[in-house]
Amino acid sequence: MKKLIALTLLMAAFASCSDSDTYQDIETPPTTGTPNPDPVAASSYTKNAKSIIDANCIGCHQSGRSAAFRPLTTYAEVKAAVENGGLLNRIQLQTGQQGIMPQAGRMSQANIDVIVKWNTDGLKEN
């Protein structure tokens, strides 16, 4: 009798399982919310990089702040920092490494990828 009850419960458990995951559900990666939703489209400072720089860098890299010697408030300043100032190297350091920017800790890889793509795409302004 116990075997019959156990077998019935086991069959009920298998019957309640659904096959709701389709191939697409499993294979489609979750969206990351990156500022450049079309990875093929050319990125630009205004459309993609500026909001990341504003959110992660401007707090220190502006007039009157601790890193005012290297302002990042304009397109020209950020472009120069990428081309000559090592900005890409510093944002890609790991948390705890000397020279990492922002100093508070590494920004998300999605944001770093946007800045790197902007560089790869030619550092366009608009």
Side-chain angles (χ1 to χ4, degrees):
M1 181 70 163
K2 287 183 182 181
K3 288 183 182 181
L4 182 61
I5 292 173
L7 184 58
T8 304
L9 288 174
L10 186 59
M11 290 177 62
F14 282 124
S16 68
C17 292
S18 69
D19 190 21
S20 64
D21 288 338
T22 64
Y23 180 77
Q24 184 176 3
D25 292 335
I26 295 168
E27 294 299 318
T28 303
T31 57
T32 59
T34 60
N36 188 9
D38 182 357
V40 177
S43 60
S44 74
Y45 175 74
T46 304
K47 292 180 203 168
N48 309 102
K50 185 179 186 320
S51 62
I52 296 169
I53 298 297
D54 288 352
N56 292 280
C57 308
I58 295 285
C60 296
H61 291 272
Q62 65 176 311
S63 179
R65 302 305 297 249
S66 61
F69 61 91
R70 172 67 72 167
L72 297 174
T73 57
T74 67
Y75 162 74
E77 292 167 344
V78 177
K79 181 181 177 190
V82 169
E83 292 177 323
N84 308 316
L87 186 139
L88 291 178
N89 292 332
R90 296 190 76 179
I91 66 171
Q92 293 183 73
L93 293 172
Q94 298 300 315
T95 299
Q97 286 185 295
Q98 186 174 4
I100 187 172
M101 288 292 145
Q103 288 181 342
R106 193 169 198 259
M107 68 176 85
S108 74
Q109 187 61 51
N111 285 345
I112 293 169
D113 291 345
V114 170
I115 304 298
V116 169
K117 183 171 182 351
W118 172 56
N119 179 55
T120 302
D121 290 347
L123 300 171
K124 293 176 177 50
E125 184 173 10
N126 294 311

